Amino acid sequence: MEFFRIRRTIPFMRHAKIFNAISAITFVLAVIFLVARGLNLSVEFTGGTVMEVSYPQPPDLEQVRGAIAKLSYGEVQVQNFGTARDVLIRLPNKAGQNSAEQSKQVLEALRALDAGVQERRTEFVGPQVGDELATSGLMAMAFVVLGIMVYLAMRFEWKYAVAGIIANMHDVIIILGFFAFFQWEFSLPVLAAVLAVMGYSVNESVIIFDRIRENFRRYRKMGSIEIIDSAITSTISRTMITHGSTLAVVLSMLLFGGQTLHYFAVALMVGIMFGIYSSVFVAAAIAMWLGVKREDLVVRTRKDFDPNDPNAGAVV
């Protein structure tokens, strides 16, 4: 499906060096922010207190957040849980207070707003649990990277696998760099968004790689750079349709999903935007620098083989 078709091939790879330099600078800045500022990890990773309270009528979450903010707990998550009358509160650890003291202080602040609020449960998330979640998250990311590399190597060729993984890690590090620079809270939903972006980004790379392979089979007299430019140009309409639809959904989550989905949507938004960029100016460009050529993708047969024609016998 295409809304439009570009008749003239756009020379993307002509500007590959400039865009690769921009990518490298952005990547290095993201790494610097991660090292210098670190991630603002949520209660799931650092440990803390989780409270569930129930109201007789649906409460105003902004008023609830305002009441808890006066207690100087720092970043506190407040969201509906189950129904509009149930509220889940995640509190970070506070020096000199245990979980019971924290929950009592918060409950007193909430009852000052609404005497009908009832405490449903209180749980303490220890630092050990947070360490296990962080380890599991890193393992999940490592398995995703490994799986993508194996898939690309089996479907295409090792040069594409390397290019795809570099583009994927480019997107992931930049997302983490944004969260480190702005000190947005990094929670389990955000980690899920990062993993989703890795799959989403590699899908766009696969579409372009697949079109490159088709063009190598179709246009025997074109050079590698022309083939890559043609492949990217021919997928622009599809890219605008798919990414436009996805961004519309993510934008609706960002605007109307509330605090619960806010950073999840932010991570997806950043990842999708850079995923489009990296598929063209990182993955395709790196494949070009690695010297991808027709022989890497086209299987040749002995039938009608002409030793004077390097393209003879190619399967089309």
Side-chain angles (χ1 to χ4, degrees):
M1 178 179 179
E2 291 182 332
F3 283 162
F4 59 88
R5 179 173 293 180
I6 300 175
R7 302 295 179 181
R8 184 178 179 181
T9 300
I10 302 174
F12 289 100
M13 294 300 101
R14 181 185 298 173
H15 310 289
K17 290 183 179 179
I18 297 175
F19 287 108
N20 283 175
I22 294 173
S23 297
I25 293 171
T26 307
F27 184 89
V28 170
L29 287 175
V31 172
I32 291 174
F33 294 143
L34 280 170
V35 173
R37 308 192 67 173
L39 292 172
N40 178 22
L41 298 175
S42 67
V43 172
E44 292 99 339
F45 297 109
T46 61
T49 301
V50 178
M51 293 180 61
E52 185 182 338
V53 296
S54 179
Y55 284 81
Q57 299 294 331
D60 185 340
L61 294 185
E62 291 303 323
Q63 289 185 356
V64 175
R65 294 187 185 102
I68 299 176
K70 296 178 182 179
L71 302 177
S72 302
Y73 278 109
E75 185 100 20
V76 177
Q77 296 182 33
V78 178
Q79 62 190 67
N80 287 116
F81 178 77
T83 68
R85 294 186 294 108
D86 297 322
V87 177
L88 189 68
I89 304 169
R90 290 185 175 93
L91 304 167
N93 289 322
K94 189 175 182 180
Q97 278 190 332
N98 56 35
S99 180
E101 292 172 341
Q102 282 185 315
S103 60
K104 181 180 178 181
Q105 187 179 33
V106 170
L107 195 60
E108 289 176 353
L110 297 181
R111 283 177 175 165
L113 291 176
D114 190 336
V117 63
Q118 297 292 326
E119 182 179 3
R120 298 283 295 275
R121 68 181 177 93
T122 300
E123 295 180 357
F124 175 70
V125 181
Q128 183 177 359
V129 176
D131 290 340
E132 291 177 357
L133 287 173
T135 302
S136 298
L138 291 174
M139 288 182 61
M141 194 172 297
F143 280 121
V144 169
V145 170
L146 180 61
I148 290 172
M149 180 173 287
V150 172
Y151 168 73
L152 291 176
M154 291 177 63
R155 178 166 178 177
F156 297 102
E157 207 259 348
W158 71 268
K159 296 174 184 177
Y160 289 95
V162 172
I165 289 302
I166 293 176
N168 246 274
M169 298 313 299
H170 167 273
D171 299 339
V172 170
I173 295 299
I174 286 179
I175 293 173
L176 298 180
F178 268 91
F179 274 79
F181 178 76
F182 292 104
Q183 285 297 288
W184 294 331
E185 187 177 61
F186 190 88
S187 59
L188 283 177
V190 175
L191 176 60
V194 171
L195 295 176
V197 165
M198 293 180 71
Y200 190 89
S201 177
V202 77
N203 177 69
E204 183 66 23
S205 298
V206 166
I207 295 296
I208 295 176
F209 290 164
D210 210 31
R211 187 60 60 89
I212 292 174
R213 178 168 59 183
E214 290 178 7
N215 287 353
F216 269 131
R217 292 173 176 174
R218 183 180 302 171
Y219 306 114
R220 299 186 182 184
K221 295 183 179 180
M222 279 190 179
S224 296
I225 295 178
E226 292 176 292
I227 289 289
I228 294 173
D229 287 336
S230 176
I232 297 171
T233 302
S234 62
T235 57
I236 287 179
S237 179
R238 178 254 174 211
T239 298
M240 294 186 66
I241 295 171
T242 55
H243 290 288
S245 302
T246 307
L247 285 174
V249 175
V250 174
L251 186 60
S252 66
M253 286 194 294
L254 182 65
L255 297 177
F256 307 112
Q259 188 185 36
T260 306
L261 297 176
H262 180 75
Y263 290 126
F264 174 78
V266 167
L268 285 177
M269 184 75 70
V270 174
I272 290 171
M273 295 301 294
F274 277 94
I276 301 171
Y277 172 86
S278 66
S279 298
V280 176
F281 295 112
V282 178
I286 290 176
M288 180 185 68
W289 300 133
L290 290 175
V292 65
K293 55 186 181 297
R294 189 183 310 277
E295 289 75 12
D296 294 331
L297 298 173
V298 179
V299 179
R300 302 181 66 186
T301 65
R302 300 178 64 88
K303 182 180 179 181
D304 299 327
F305 185 83
D306 181 0
N308 298 318
D309 183 2
N311 294 319
V315 175
V316 296

